Amino acid sequence: MACDPFQLSECLRRHAALIHRVARAYARDAAEREDVLQEIAVQLWRALGSLDPGRRESTWVYRIALNVAISHARREGRHRAGRGGEEPLFTLAAPAEAEPGPEVELLQACIAELGPLEKAPVLLHLDGNDHAAIAEVLGLSVSNVGTKLQRTRARLHAALERRTRTEAPRTEAPRTEDRRHATG
Amino acid sequence: MRLDDLERAWSAHTKTLERSLALDERILRELLLRKVRFALGPFALLRALEVALGLLALSALVPVVLAHRTEPRYLLVGVAVLVLALGLTIQCAGLLVRTLQLDAAGPVCTIQRQVEHLKQAEYRATKWALLGGVLLWLPVLLLGFEVPTGIPALGRVDLAFLLGNLVLGLILLVLGQAWSRRVVERPDLAPLARRVVDALASRSLHSAARHLDELARFERE
């Protein structure tokens, strides 16, 4: 088992955005996101020894991050395993300008409607991975990934339409009021 | 708003994140790595402890049962206790090995399947420990009493008392199952109570089976 703190911190630094996005997609709130982040760090540290220098490091990090996040999402009872009060192993601080805008938040909300397994190929796709890379991370065939992405994008599209429809009256309402005031 | 627009916004946000995420690794140094080691410890330690206890119980009880192998009561009850202890020890040893072999860096589908199979094995072990414990706690106690004292307690206890205890155990099991089905959906159960209730009501087993089905569908489609 490798236990080089420098190696781990370098790995976390290189893949901070990837880890952050996976944790965000699978956690329901900030506290849960912290739990997922710490769990991913622990598993990365555990697995450092098995990292093959000949293979893509991002594939290795994706696999660990997604395995941890999916297991976390599926954990029975959803009771906090209790890192409560403990100091975190590391923190990922995002400055104000890196907070997601309304469009990214809308897409995150649509992704949150998917099941834990369905989320994985979408996240990988959105991060710019091609079908072959997604297939390698998930352990699926390339053609299966293609079909899956097509179907999931259709579901995302439907979720987006539904959300836009339900959001629209809420945003339209004040305008109607304004118009009434203007004409009245 | 179109999905493509959102995907473009996502891509732009990813670039911002990559530029600006600040990793605070002060706490990753020596002191907190000890914490990581500690965090990994309890699960494997608990399994190892269960295996050690099982082996200890077997090594203590086998000579007692063998010493009374001509007595039908010892043969019947003793063999039941030994079979349960051996079965649970093997299950716990298997869980320990499979847990240590689990490689989180494997393909997501493969690892998730292994995790669900592992969960099923763990739930089965818990269920068998509960069922066996409720039915056989008295014979285990009597056989265990003989280990340090040499007094054949099992042979001296009234047979009607032993059978009565067995019937009481069966009644408790039926009541326990009915109770667990009533409270299984309650969210405020303590972790240990949750584990017992889930095992009795088979909720955890069903949940793992459902996840495996979901995984199979995901791989197939």
Side-chain angles (χ1 to χ4, degrees):
Chain A
M1 191 186 281
C3 50
D4 180 359
F6 180 74
Q7 208 185 342
L8 177 60
S9 63
E10 280 307 300
C11 177
L12 287 170
R13 195 190 307 280
R14 275 195 298 275
H15 302 286
L18 179 167
I19 295 167
H20 186 268
R21 272 191 312 271
V22 171
R24 196 174 188 114
Y26 282 88
R28 290 174 304 179
D29 52 44
E32 206 176 312
R33 190 160 69 230
E34 269 309 308
D35 281 352
V36 177
L37 280 173
Q38 307 312 314
E39 244 179 277
I40 291 173
V42 169
Q43 289 299 337
L44 283 172
W45 179 79
R46 264 188 92 176
L48 269 176
S50 71
L51 175 58
D52 178 0
R55 303 188 79 170
R56 278 210 319 175
E57 193 181 66
S58 62
T59 302
W60 179 81
V61 177
Y62 265 124
R63 280 178 172 180
I64 291 175
L66 286 168
N67 273 319
V68 168
I70 292 171
S71 297
H72 186 94
R74 281 178 156 178
R75 202 161 292 157
E76 284 302 305
R78 306 307 302 262
H79 53 263
R80 286 270 145 73
R83 281 183 189 276
E86 278 186 31
E87 202 179 350
L89 298 169
F90 75 109
T91 59
L92 280 179
E97 70 264 23
E99 282 300 311
E103 288 174 321
V104 174
E105 276 188 348
L106 181 59
L107 188 51
Q108 278 171 346
C110 294
I111 292 172
E113 289 183 19
L114 301 172
L117 288 170
E118 278 79 27
K119 278 179 194 170
V122 176
L123 288 176
L124 288 158
H125 166 72
L126 288 171
D127 282 353
N129 292 285
D130 59 18
H131 290 192
I134 298 174
E136 195 185 351
V137 171
L138 298 179
L140 296 171
S141 68
V142 177
S143 62
N144 194 344
V145 168
T147 318
K148 211 166 286 303
L149 275 176
Q150 217 173 359
R151 281 185 195 160
T152 316
R153 285 192 89 237
R155 281 185 63 190
L156 281 178
H157 196 79
L160 177 62
E161 288 215 328
R162 199 175 55 248
R163 279 178 178 272
T164 320
R165 263 204 310 275
T166 51
E167 289 291 316
R170 262 184 261 163
T171 49
E172 286 297 318
R175 278 186 221 154
T176 320
E177 280 294 305
D178 290 347
R179 236 178 283 137
R180 235 180 265 149
H181 281 293
T183 51
Chain B
M1 202 175 290
R2 292 175 58 229
L3 190 56
D4 292 336
D5 300 330
L6 298 190
E7 287 184 356
R8 268 193 290 278
W10 181 285
S11 217
H13 178 245
T14 298
K15 287 194 178 79
T16 317
L17 265 183
E18 275 165 2
R19 271 199 315 272
S20 57
L21 265 181
L23 171 69
D24 184 351
E25 93 241 55
R26 280 175 298 133
I27 39 190
L28 263 178
R29 301 293 165 189
E30 306 262 329
L31 178 72
L32 285 154
L33 274 174
R34 260 192 276 138
K35 214 180 216 178
V36 175
R37 282 189 201 106
F38 181 73
L40 293 172
F43 189 77
L45 202 70
L46 186 71
R47 293 273 160 260
L49 194 71
E50 284 169 349
V51 176
L53 276 175
L55 290 174
L56 192 74
L58 281 169
S59 62
L61 297 181
V62 166
V64 176
V65 177
L66 281 178
H68 297 277
R69 59 183 174 278
T70 51
E71 299 170 47
R73 187 185 293 192
Y74 271 89
L75 210 58
L76 196 70
V77 177
V79 167
V81 169
L82 290 181
V83 166
L84 179 72
L86 184 68
L88 287 177
T89 309
I90 291 172
Q91 271 184 321
C92 287
L95 277 173
L96 177 64
V97 172
R98 284 161 72 182
T99 304
L100 292 176
Q101 281 176 341
L102 204 65
D103 174 18
V108 173
C109 290
T110 312
I111 298 305
Q112 289 304 312
R113 196 178 317 107
Q114 285 176 6
V115 167
E116 295 305 328
H117 281 305
L118 201 62
K119 277 191 205 165
Q120 280 189 325
E122 191 184 351
Y123 299 144
R124 281 198 190 104
T126 308
K127 189 160 188 163
W128 278 108
L130 278 172
L131 297 181
V134 171
L135 290 178
L136 295 172
W137 70 273
L138 185 62
V140 170
L141 211 65
L142 295 172
L143 286 170
F145 183 72
E146 194 171 333
V147 176
T149 61
I151 300 169
L154 184 66
R156 291 187 188 175
V157 170
D158 191 21
L159 187 63
F161 179 69
L162 267 182
L163 289 173
N165 185 267
L166 187 71
V167 172
L168 183 71
L170 284 169
I171 293 170
L172 278 177
L173 274 182
V174 173
L175 289 176
Q177 293 242 333
W179 170 76
S180 64
R181 286 199 185 107
R182 281 185 64 151
V183 298
V184 73
E185 296 303 336
R186 271 175 54 175
D188 56 338
L189 292 174
L192 184 65
R194 160 68 51 210
R195 201 173 161 192
V196 171
V197 166
D198 282 356
L200 275 174
S202 296
R203 181 185 191 238
S204 327
L205 265 175
H206 294 155
S207 160
R210 202 174 53 245
H211 289 156
L212 279 169
D213 285 347
E214 197 183 305
L215 192 60
R217 263 201 316 278
F218 182 75
E219 287 178 291
R220 201 172 45 236
E221 277 169 6

